[in-house]
Amino acid sequence: AVLCRGMQASKTENRKKAEPFYWLSAAKQKTSSEIINEARKALQTVRTQRPCTPTDDQRKLFGSGYSRGPQNRPPSVFSLHASSFDMAESRPVSGVRLSPLAQKPILITSSKDEDSSVFLPKPPADAAEVRKVSSARAYLFRTSVGNLFTAKMIPPDQNEAKLDSEEPAMMMNNLGRNNNNCLAEQRLCTPFNDESRQLICNEDIIRSGSEDIVTGAAGKFSLQLRGESDQMKKPGKESSQPRNSGWKRRVTGLEDETRINEWEEEEVFWHIKILPILHELEKIEDNIENLCLACTKLYQALSEGNMLGKRFKRRNVLLKTLYKLVDIDSDLLCLKLAKIILAMKVDGKNLLVVCKLAFKICRSKKNDSIIQNDRLLDCLLEVLRNEDLQKNNEALLYCMGAIKFMSGNAVLLNEMVNKGAVEMLLQLMKQINNIKEYDTYFSNLGHLLVQLAAILRNLADFPPARCRLLCSAAVSELCVALEQRGSDKDVCTYIVRILSKLSSYNDFCAALADCSRCYILFLALLNKHQKQQDLVVRIIFILGNLTAKNNQAREQFFKEKESINTLTSLFQTYYELDLNAQTWHHDTEGKGKNHLKHPSEVEDVLIKLIRVLANLSIHPSVGAALAAAHRVVELLVTVLEYKSVDECEELVINAATTINNLSYYQVKGSAVQDKKLHIAEMLLKLLMSDNMDGIVEAVRVFGNLSQYHEICDFIMQKKIYKFMIALLDSKNRDVCFSACGVLLNLTVDKNKRAFLMEEGGIGKLVDCLQDFGPADWQLSCLICKTLWNYSENITGAASCFGGDTDTLLVLLTALLGEIRNLG
């Protein structure tokens, strides 16, 4: 009895005004159909696959799609030899810099210049003076050249005392011994050039041409010798200042002694540990395995002796020996050499060559295992961390290229993250972003930025790296780079690839949406590079991700100037390209032959572009505006006209989904309403296909359009209602829901209700209620309302529902019993 009263009340209300299935939202109280519609989310966002970037099997510095020609970019292929290195650069850095002379000396060129204020130096006439100078030179020669190859160093005080007390003959003998020792060591090691043997004397301060011995605190010792040089003018004569007293002696004495002790330790370590390994390297040039083993021992010994870096005295001897081994054709050996050379902190040309060497090693995928075992990554990251961006941009380019190749290996990728590579790369990007377009380095740094972005792209696929990218505000820095390099197609493509990967994750989408200028930036790039498919498709994909779940992003993008016009222009451009390609395909392959299984590049742009429109239409005001945008609707309908679901399933279904979303809005000047009959004709083709997803989308659109009498008449005329009743047997909940929505709208018209009984629709609705009713209350309500519309003029249950009456009553009673129990 309660059920009958409820049905009668509802029937009275239904007589006043029939309610269509998809009722539009309004200020009045929501009807049951509106509630159902909102619960089922009739307006749908569209998903699509991320644009695929094919993996390049060949590791190259710049990919095949790089827009700059070979003449405008650094080479990816080159040859390296020992001669590629700069031997002069290998000398250690001096800790003392001499001040330039106030004026250049004027040399006497003839006897007429006797009045000149500057004379050529003359040899001393006094024999004792000759001996004194000779002994001084002997000492200085020992400290500047001889001690490069001897294990013992004489402290300065002791040495000066010896200069005052030794006999001339003894001093000459000492000089001879030291020279002999020097020559002996030179034969064992790499010989110096003639210039390195020359001693340049200026105010009794003598420096070696090949090594600066005085470094750090020892620089004060050099200055001390300058002050005491007058003591050697006459033998036996005391200096006016005590040699072992004075503030300078007290301050520097302890430091000098400490430094001299360090030199002595270094000399001993060199002869005991390093020199034998260098001899070994010279003897076994024909055995790669032994050479590699020796290089490993050498690196360990240098590390143990704290000799890695620029301050090592014998650095030039060591580097020259290593450079010679580069000519041996072995990647493993070159890897060992590169690691040591990089650890020695070379710069200039040598840094560039060794970075090229590392690049050459990493370019071969088969070397990944030896690279991860030998920890070359540490050395390369150290280069990025410490080297000057502008001064060494080409060296950093090859260093970054080597790391890019490493990032293709999962083990090395994980190692990069653990060693802070993400933060370092973003810091480097920030430095590049600070260099303005008018700077001379701006263009060259674009090459470096491409390598950097390629590494970040690989890191973006790695979950631990993504966390660090998010925490390090990578999104904002990437947007700055895009804004500054908008004219550089290569940089833009690589950065957009990163963002397309990251935007697939909700947290990054939120971070990107918070970057207020990103929409303007993306629109500017779309207008500038409209026909660059690889760039356009990724930007559109990013916009699709931004508008998929964020209502604020939909509104913000829509409000940007010319946003919809830009999308429409792109739509028109790629539609024409696809139409031309399809015409050519039909002419060459034969009409009616299907396309390839996967969408073409042009189709992929259209798929993702339509997805953006579908997602934008979820927003009430934006959706209403798009429904009234005739050009947008025309292009969507055109897709249904020229493209079949068999040719490109995703494109056609996306177009149907977007039309469905726009058909929800009944607004003044609606383009969907104006073209509703034409849209219905296009949907009929989709209904007749074998694609169930396409059929469901077409039925959904008919669910909205069947609010209009013209569409209802079209459905009856084309016998589409039979198709809807048949879909009730699909056992698919979504399909049944959409089909039942169309039937509900058809039963609003009293003159069209009879079809339901004729085609067996009552029995199929009851079966749907039985199958899905207990689990889906929205579908149950929809079925009940359809049956209620059908039974408006009921005279008896049996005559109305026929043989399904008893089943329906039992089912409704059971469902009401469940509701009471829940209450």
Side-chain angles (χ1 to χ4, degrees):
V2 173
L3 175 61
C4 292
R5 284 197 298 270
M7 293 178 68
Q8 185 64 37
S10 181
K11 185 184 292 186
T12 304
E13 180 184 350
N14 198 26
R15 287 197 188 100
K16 295 178 182 178
K17 186 174 181 180
E19 296 177 359
F21 168 47
Y22 289 108
W23 197 269
L24 296 175
S25 58
K28 65 182 182 65
Q29 185 178 359
K30 292 181 180 179
T31 63
S32 58
S33 61
E34 289 180 86
I35 296 171
I36 293 171
N37 184 35
E38 291 178 1
R40 298 293 294 199
K41 296 181 180 178
L43 303 185
Q44 305 172 80
T45 57
V46 176
R47 290 187 176 184
T48 188
Q49 294 181 344
R50 181 168 57 81
C52 177
T53 303
T55 303
D56 195 349
D57 294 333
Q58 292 184 343
R59 294 182 174 183
K60 297 179 181 179
L61 188 62
F62 304 104
S64 55
Y66 204 64
S67 64
R68 296 181 178 91
Q71 68 279 5
N72 295 322
R73 67 188 189 203
S76 298
V77 180
F78 39 76
S79 58
L80 296 174
H81 306 284
S83 58
S84 303
F85 291 91
D86 181 8
M87 299 297 180
E89 190 272 332
S90 61
R91 56 193 299 271
V93 176
S94 172
V96 175
R97 295 185 180 276
L98 299 179
S99 301
L101 295 175
Q103 63 181 38
K104 296 181 180 180
I106 302 173
L107 301 180
I108 298 177
T109 57
S110 66
S111 58
K112 296 180 181 180
D113 296 334
E114 293 178 358
D115 295 335
S116 174
S117 58
V118 179
F119 300 92
L120 287 173
K122 296 179 180 181
D126 186 79
E129 191 71 18
V130 173
R131 288 195 299 271
K132 187 69 174 179
V133 173
S134 299
S135 62
R137 289 181 178 174
Y139 161 66
L140 290 172
F141 190 78
R142 284 197 301 272
T143 59
S144 60
V145 178
N147 282 330
L148 289 176
F149 300 96
T150 57
K152 184 177 179 181
M153 173 171 284
I154 303 172
D157 290 342
Q158 297 178 19
N159 198 50
E160 290 180 33
K162 288 183 179 182
L163 288 177
D164 286 335
S165 60
E166 284 181 334
E167 293 296 325
M170 182 70 70
M171 286 186 286
M172 293 301 293
N173 290 336
N174 287 339
L175 177 60
R177 280 197 302 271
N178 285 327
N179 284 336
N180 290 336
N181 289 338
C182 175
L183 294 174
E185 292 290 348
Q186 284 179 318
R187 283 191 294 271
L188 289 175
C189 303
T190 305
F192 288 90
N193 54 30
D194 292 337
E195 293 179 0
S196 65
R197 297 196 185 102
Q198 295 176 1
L199 299 178
I200 303 171
C201 180
N202 181 22
E203 296 182 350
D204 295 330
I205 297 175
I206 304 176
R207 298 177 60 189
S208 168
S210 62
E211 297 257 359
D212 292 330
I213 294 302
V214 186
T215 61
K220 298 179 181 179
F221 172 64
S222 166
L223 297 176
Q224 175 187 333
L225 289 180
R226 290 184 61 180
E228 295 175 357
S229 61
D230 291 339
Q231 296 175 11
M232 295 188 290
K233 290 182 179 178
K234 292 182 181 181
K237 186 174 180 179
E238 293 289 338
S239 172
S240 60
Q241 294 182 352
R243 295 175 59 185
N244 295 322
S245 63
W247 66 270
K248 186 183 297 185
R249 175 76 65 180
R250 288 196 299 270
V251 172
T252 61
L254 184 59
E255 295 179 357
D256 293 342
E257 184 177 354
T258 302
R259 182 59 180 164
I260 291 169
N261 290 336
E262 291 176 358
W263 286 355
E264 289 176 348
E265 293 175 2
E266 185 179 285
E267 291 291 318
V268 173
F269 192 88
W270 167 266
H271 281 273
I272 294 176
K273 290 292 187 76
I274 307 300
L275 201 55
I277 300 176
L278 295 184
H279 292 330
E280 187 178 351
L281 288 173
E282 292 178 353
K283 292 177 182 177
I284 56 175
E285 289 187 2
D286 57 339
N287 191 317
I288 302 297
E289 184 177 352
N290 290 340
L291 281 172
C292 292
L293 182 61
C295 286
T296 301
K297 291 192 298 182
L298 177 61
Y299 184 87
Q300 293 172 349
L302 290 170
S303 179
E304 179 186 348
N306 197 26
M307 293 180 174
L308 298 174
K310 290 190 173 185
R311 297 294 180 182
F312 174 39
K313 281 174 52 184
R314 307 298 183 105
R315 183 169 176 268
N316 63 331
V317 178
L318 175 65
L319 287 174
K320 289 176 182 178
T321 302
L322 297 177
Y323 293 160
K324 291 179 180 178
L325 298 175
V326 173
D327 286 333
I328 299 176
D329 186 18
S330 168
D331 284 348
L332 179 58
L333 176 60
C334 286
L335 173 63
K336 304 279 185 183
L337 296 173
K339 182 180 175 183
I340 300 174
I341 295 170
L342 285 170
M344 297 303 294
K345 302 294 187 293
V346 295
D347 54 21
K349 179 183 178 182
N350 288 348
L351 177 62
L352 172 60
V353 175
V354 74
C355 285
K356 284 185 174 181
L357 183 63
F359 172 85
K360 187 177 179 182
I361 296 164
C362 297
R363 188 167 55 194
S364 177
K365 197 171 184 178
K366 66 181 181 181
N367 290 335
D368 283 358
S369 57
I370 63 173
I371 289 170
Q372 72 185 58
N373 291 335
D374 232 311
R375 307 178 72 84
L376 177 64
L377 177 62
D378 292 351
C379 299
L380 296 178
L381 291 178
E382 193 68 17
V383 171
L384 294 185
R385 188 178 291 112
N386 296 325
E387 294 300 329
D388 184 81
L389 179 67
Q390 299 183 22
K391 179 182 176 183
N392 298 311
N393 68 83
E394 189 175 1
L396 290 179
L397 173 71
Y398 288 101
C399 176
M400 198 83 75
I403 295 175
K404 177 183 72 174
F405 297 150
M406 290 184 187
S407 66
N409 180 284
V411 176
L412 292 169
L413 193 67
N414 184 55
E415 189 177 343
M416 286 181 197
V417 177
N418 294 334
K419 294 181 183 299
V422 173
E423 294 81 359
M424 186 192 309
L425 291 170
L426 290 176
Q427 185 61 33
L428 195 60
M429 178 176 282
K430 187 174 183 178
Q431 293 179 36
I432 296 174
N433 288 341
N434 289 334
I435 297 173
K436 304 306 177 185
E437 190 171 359
Y438 52 78
D439 195 290
T440 54
Y441 293 97
F442 185 83
S443 179
N444 288 338
L445 290 176
H447 300 302
L448 181 60
L449 198 53
V450 166
Q451 306 303 315
L452 195 158
I455 300 172
L456 291 179
R457 183 190 62 191
N458 291 340
L459 287 167
D461 280 330
F462 192 48
R466 282 200 301 271
C467 295
R468 299 202 178 192
L469 285 169
L470 183 63
C471 296
S472 303
V475 167
S476 59
E477 210 59 58
L478 289 167
C479 286
V480 172
L482 268 183
E483 188 170 7
Q484 289 192 350
R485 305 271 174 173
S487 299
D488 191 326
K489 185 254 179 183
D490 301 305
V491 172
C492 290
T493 301
Y494 276 88
I495 293 179
V496 165
R497 283 177 180 174
I498 300 170
L499 292 176
S500 73
K501 286 189 177 186
L502 296 179
S503 66
S504 300
Y505 303 93
N506 293 336
D507 47 3
F508 273 98
C509 253
L512 189 55
D514 289 340
C515 186
S516 58
R517 287 189 55 80
C518 75
Y519 304 104
I520 300 175
L521 178 59
F522 290 143
L523 288 170
L525 291 174
L526 289 175
N527 287 315
K528 185 183 289 289
H529 304 285
Q530 192 171 97
K531 292 190 177 181
Q532 298 292 338
Q533 185 274 341
D534 54 344
L535 181 61
V536 168
V537 73
R538 287 169 176 81
I539 295 175
I540 295 296
F541 176 74
I542 295 167
L543 291 173
N545 290 339
L546 287 172
T547 55
K549 297 180 180 179
N550 193 324
N551 220 29
Q552 184 178 353
R554 295 166 187 148
E555 183 178 10
Q556 191 171 352
F557 175 78
F558 178 75
K559 287 183 177 179
E560 292 294 344
K561 185 178 179 181
E562 297 295 316
S563 59
I564 301 303
N565 287 341
T566 298
L567 295 182
T568 305
S569 176
L570 280 174
F571 203 146
Q572 181 69 37
T573 298
Y574 283 88
Y575 153 67
E576 291 175 357
L577 289 172
D578 189 43
L579 190 61
N580 293 335
Q582 183 171 285
T583 302
W584 177 86
H585 177 82
H586 284 182
D587 291 343
T588 54
E589 300 294 334
K591 194 169 183 178
K593 190 172 182 179
N594 291 341
H595 277 188
L596 297 175
K597 191 72 175 176
H598 300 288
S600 67
E601 291 182 348
V602 174
E603 288 172 334
D604 201 25
V605 173
L606 291 172
I607 288 168
K608 291 167 175 58
L609 187 80
I610 293 174
R611 177 195 179 215
V612 176
L613 295 171
N615 293 349
L616 286 172
S617 64
I618 302 296
H619 190 284
S621 60
V622 177
L626 289 175
H630 285 257
R631 188 58 187 145
V632 171
V633 175
E634 285 174 5
L635 288 168
L636 291 170
V637 174
T638 301
V639 171
L640 299 181
E641 289 175 347
Y642 86 98
K643 187 75 70 175
S644 72
V645 71
D646 294 329
E647 289 175 326
C648 188
E649 175 183 345
E650 192 176 1
L651 176 58
V652 173
I653 291 176
N654 281 7
T657 301
T658 309
I659 291 173
N660 175 55
N661 287 356
L662 298 179
S663 66
Y664 180 81
Y665 301 98
Q666 281 189 331
V667 294
K668 185 178 180 180
S670 170
V672 177
Q673 185 175 352
D674 291 347
K675 296 179 178 299
K676 55 183 177 293
L677 281 174
H678 185 52
I679 291 172
E681 291 174 356
M682 296 301 104
L683 293 173
L684 186 57
K685 292 196 308 181
L686 196 55
L687 278 176
M688 297 299 109
S689 70
D690 296 328
N691 189 293
M692 183 53 68
D693 291 333
I695 291 170
V696 171
E697 288 303 324
V699 172
R700 283 174 177 163
V701 182
F702 273 117
N704 276 346
L705 295 181
S706 57
Q707 299 175 72
Y708 305 105
H709 294 295
E710 298 93 328
I711 299 301
C712 288
D713 293 340
F714 178 83
I715 291 173
M716 297 303 295
Q717 180 186 355
K718 299 293 184 180
K719 308 297 183 183
I720 297 174
Y721 66 88
K722 293 184 178 182
F723 195 82
M724 300 300 169
I725 293 174
L727 288 176
L728 296 175
D729 288 330
S730 67
K731 304 301 180 183
N732 182 297
R733 192 176 300 179
D734 289 334
V735 173
C736 290
F737 184 88
S738 300
C740 192
V742 177
L743 296 176
L744 171 60
N745 287 341
L746 289 175
T747 57
V748 171
D749 189 341
K750 298 177 182 180
N751 299 323
K752 296 182 174 67
R753 292 171 183 169
F755 76 90
L756 206 55
M757 177 62 78
E758 294 172 4
E759 300 296 331
I762 299 299
K764 291 181 180 180
L765 285 171
V766 173
D767 289 342
C768 281
L769 187 61
Q770 189 172 11
D771 293 339
F772 302 120
D776 193 334
W777 67 268
Q778 296 101 331
L779 179 55
S780 298
C781 291
L782 198 60
I783 293 171
C784 289
K785 190 164 186 179
T786 303
L787 293 172
W788 178 240
N789 283 352
Y790 171 74
S791 63
E792 181 181 6
N793 298 320
I794 186 173
T795 55
S799 63
C800 181
F801 298 109
D804 299 302
T805 304
D806 294 338
T807 305
L808 179 59
L809 288 174
V810 172
L811 189 56
L812 291 174
T813 303
L815 292 174
L816 285 173
E818 290 185 8
I819 293 174
R820 288 195 187 98
N821 292 335
L822 289 173

